[in-house]
Amino acid sequence: MFIHGEPNEGWRLYTLNWIVLSMIALLLSISIAVSRFSVEIESGLLKTIAMAAVFTLAGRYLISHRWGARPALVLLSLAQLDMLFLFGTPLSYVTASADLPLQDGNLAHLDQLLGLDWTAYYRFIVDRPALLPYAVFFYAMIGWLGLGVPLLLGLTKNHVRLHQFTMACILTVCVTALISALLPAIGTYQEYRVPAETPNFRATGYLIQFDRLPLVRDGSLRLLNVSQLGGIITFPSFHAAAAILAVWACWGVWWIRPLALITNAGMLLATPLVGGHYFVDVIAGSALAVLGIAAAKSLGTRWAAAGQRREIVAPLGSGNVALIAGRRRETAL
């Protein structure tokens, strides 16, 4: 194991991430146990678990060698993000089953108060078919979050930021699922009575939600097939949160900044259209990501400091600690 340096601090953050993931897994298990939900054991679920296990074992082997620090921490982060997907998506379904009143009218009203006209935005894009493929492309860039960002940070030796990023994703997903249960919404297309499908465009993100969320709320959907669930959260938008998380994560690598800004700005702009989100969803998701980053950095700093104190004190033994304390008192006098 490492003795000094950033890889060691990255390792400490990695262990903290597992603690938080374990708490989410426990929350999900309890929620499923006390509800009518059940999890279908299918190939997609087993594949995700197997992949996370392989990444973890390979990462733990490689990290025992200094030359293996970079690939090890990438693999360990990928394993944790796989498990986050495994826990986070079902958690959003279980929390949505609370069936609290829909907030579409209130969210639309907030957009109006801010002077933001979703229908005008929709017409502007849809009336320009050349823009539609770009909207779909940028919306799909959320896939960069789970693979590209860990690879970039790990291979450029940004080990601390890599696991801060992982922690920020974990916290943001969990809080997003809980808030969405308190403030559920179907989305803009139903609220404004505009078509989510045209000859040139299909709002894929919204249509999944429009199909699944009512079934969860009325009790029809209680068997969770993890590989086929899809997103059902309107407020706050995790797509918007993902864009902010990705930009922050990539900012430490100077040569990727322009690409990160372009792709994630594009994802923010595409989210209201393809995901059927209100503009306040995007604002709230972005703010939540900022809070998640701040919380991850704060927790990581405190955890790393505590780890350093344990490493210093443990080898000394109680007698040496007392001797050092006595010398400090003498020096003070």
Side-chain angles (χ1 to χ4, degrees), residues 209-327:
Q209 178 172 293
F210 180 72
D211 175 64
R212 310 283 170 77
L213 183 58
L215 300 178
V216 175
R217 288 171 57 83
D218 67 16
S220 301
L221 197 163
R222 287 296 181 267
L223 180 62
L224 300 175
N225 184 318
V226 175
S227 61
Q228 297 181 6
L229 289 180
I232 59 169
I233 294 176
T234 296
F235 180 91
S237 166
F238 183 71
H239 256 78
I244 302 302
L245 289 168
V247 169
W248 169 77
C250 295
W251 202 252
V253 184
W254 65 268
W255 49 267
I256 204 69
R257 289 177 186 174
L259 179 61
L261 285 173
I262 292 170
T263 55
N264 290 289
M267 186 157 65
L268 285 173
L269 292 172
T271 293
L273 183 72
V274 184
H277 285 280
Y278 302 93
F279 290 110
V280 290
D281 301 343
V282 175
I283 295 170
S286 301
L288 192 57
V290 172
L291 293 176
I293 291 166
K297 293 172 70 174
S298 177
L299 287 171
T301 299
R302 295 182 182 184
W303 183 262
Q308 290 173 347
R309 287 195 295 271
R310 288 192 296 269
E311 288 177 1
I312 293 172
V313 172
L316 293 175
S318 57
N320 287 339
V321 172
L323 177 60
I324 291 171
R327 288 177 178 173

Side-chain angles (χ1 to χ4, degrees), residues 41-273:
I41 307 300
E42 41 82 30
S43 60
L45 173 64
L46 297 176
K47 180 180 178 181
T48 302
I49 295 173
M51 188 177 300
V54 170
F55 286 166
T56 300
L57 292 173
R60 291 183 70 89
Y61 170 76
L62 290 172
I63 207 165
S64 62
H65 304 83
R66 183 172 292 275
W67 58 265
R70 282 188 281 180
L73 291 173
V74 170
L75 290 172
L76 294 171
S77 176
L78 291 174
Q80 291 181 333
L81 291 172
D82 279 346
M83 298 310 293
L84 176 60
F85 163 76
L86 199 63
F87 301 149
T89 307
L91 181 63
S92 68
Y93 277 68
V94 175
T95 56
S97 67
D99 195 23
L100 295 177
L102 292 173
Q103 300 297 316
D104 288 273
N106 291 328
L107 296 174
H109 183 61
L110 286 174
D111 272 2
Q112 293 172 5
L113 291 177
L114 294 173
L116 300 170
D117 189 339
W118 187 90
T119 55
Y121 182 75
Y122 169 82
R123 287 193 297 269
F124 178 85
I125 302 295
V126 172
D127 290 346
R128 293 164 176 79
L131 296 177
L132 294 174
Y134 293 101
V136 175
F137 170 79
F138 282 120
Y139 187 78
M141 287 303 294
I142 194 170
W144 165 257
L145 192 74
L147 178 60
V149 172
L151 284 172
L152 174 71
L153 295 180
L155 298 180
T156 55
K157 299 185 180 180
N158 286 280
H159 303 116
V160 172
R161 179 155 293 201
L162 169 61
H163 289 285
Q164 287 177 340
F165 163 76
T166 306
M167 170 63 80
C169 288
I170 293 169
L171 296 176
T172 303
V173 166
C174 187
V175 175
T176 298
L178 296 176
I179 293 176
S180 70
L182 299 174
L183 299 169
I186 294 294
T188 52
Y189 287 94
Q190 176 171 286
E191 177 68 19
Y192 294 118
R193 300 293 190 271
V194 295
E197 294 186 78
T198 71
N200 299 314
F201 169 69
R202 191 169 186 266
T204 53
Y206 166 80
L207 289 170
I208 293 174
Q209 178 172 293
F210 180 72
D211 175 64
R212 310 283 170 77
L213 183 58
L215 300 178
V216 175
R217 288 171 57 83
D218 67 16
S220 301
L221 197 163
R222 287 296 181 267
L223 180 62
L224 300 175
N225 184 318
V226 175
S227 61
Q228 297 181 6
L229 289 180
I232 59 169
I233 294 176
T234 296
F235 180 91
S237 166
F238 183 71
H239 256 78
I244 302 302
L245 289 168
V247 169
W248 169 77
C250 295
W251 202 252
V253 184
W254 65 268
W255 49 267
I256 204 69
R257 289 177 186 174
L259 179 61
L261 285 173
I262 292 170
T263 55
N264 290 289
M267 186 157 65
L268 285 173
L269 292 172
T271 293
L273 183 72

